Amino acid sequence: MAPLYGAQHRALQDEFDMRPLADRVQQFIVHPEIQPEHRGFIESRDCFFLTTIDHRGYPTVSHKGGSPGFVRVVDGTTLAFPSFDGNGMFLSLGNITANPKVGLLFIDFETPHRIRLHGDATVSRDDPLLHDNLPAFHGAEFVVRVTLAEIFVNCPRYIHRYQRVGSAPHVPQPGCETPPATWKRIDGLQDVLPARDRHIGEEYGLLTPDEYAERVQQGRT
């Protein structure tokens, strides 16, 4: 495993007389394997933030959501999560296929608490987890597996407290029809939607871009 700190980190640590503290913090909290307390927290989450690196070197940060338990700890150095229907850009998955380096941030806004991890990811359309009838993976198009480099708890002192009030209605659930994405009703997109989605606008009614933007602002998507 490559060192956590590079020359750029050491320069700032030395400038602020923090090198000994940084080394001790790493010794105390950074692990090369997922610990039992990490596993329980990760598998209780219904969302996390994923960072990937694009072809230009820019980090792409995405919010990933699902049912609690949609991130599965496979073993001490591997976790997996489903990728559901998106907007067709494939920013995160496309980035991973070219550069597997990823970062994940799990936050509990109610406690508060957070865990960060780094690793190398792969994307599969034929992962065994797609065929295991796991409720949290229902409706997934891909499975992303992450091989851990390091994992650590981060100080939560700047996390504002928020309360969870409901689940996103678009998260696929076994035995339930998933409502279509509202943006697929925008009239300017109808001619470029994949064939499987072109009935949505006609069935549910078309929206102008301004109407869709208003719905987003009102939380009616």
Side-chain angles (χ1 to χ4, degrees), residues 134-204:
L134 300 172
F137 282 67
H138 175 75
E141 296 180 331
F142 303 86
V143 167
V144 179
R145 289 188 179 240
V146 179
T147 300
L148 184 72
E150 63 247 346
I151 185 170
F152 52 98
V153 173
N154 241 169
C155 174
R157 61 179 168 159
Y158 296 120
I159 299 176
H160 304 293
R161 289 180 179 268
Y162 293 97
Q163 187 173 20
R164 189 180 189 278
V165 297
S167 299
H170 293 86
V171 174
Q173 301 290 338
C176 300
E177 183 178 354
T178 304
T182 305
W183 63 264
K184 294 181 180 180
R185 296 167 54 189
I186 298 174
D187 57 7
L189 299 178
Q190 298 308 300
D191 61 326
V192 293
L193 287 174
R196 63 180 180 274
D197 291 332
R198 291 182 182 172
H199 69 284
I200 294 173
E202 181 177 347
E203 183 174 342
Y204 291 87

Side-chain angles (χ1 to χ4, degrees), residues 63-116:
H63 170 273
K64 300 299 180 183
S67 298
F70 82 114
V71 182
R72 186 179 183 89
V73 175
V74 178
D75 56 42
T77 58
T78 311
L79 58 79
F81 61 88
S83 178
F84 302 112
D85 174 56
N87 61 6
M89 297 175 76
F90 292 105
L91 293 179
S92 296
L93 298 190
N95 289 347
I96 289 171
T97 62
N99 184 340
K101 303 298 182 185
V102 297
L104 285 75
L105 172 62
F106 297 89
I107 300 181
D108 181 347
F109 289 99
E110 294 181 314
T111 301
H113 182 41
R114 62 176 170 166
I115 286 178
R116 295 170 63 177

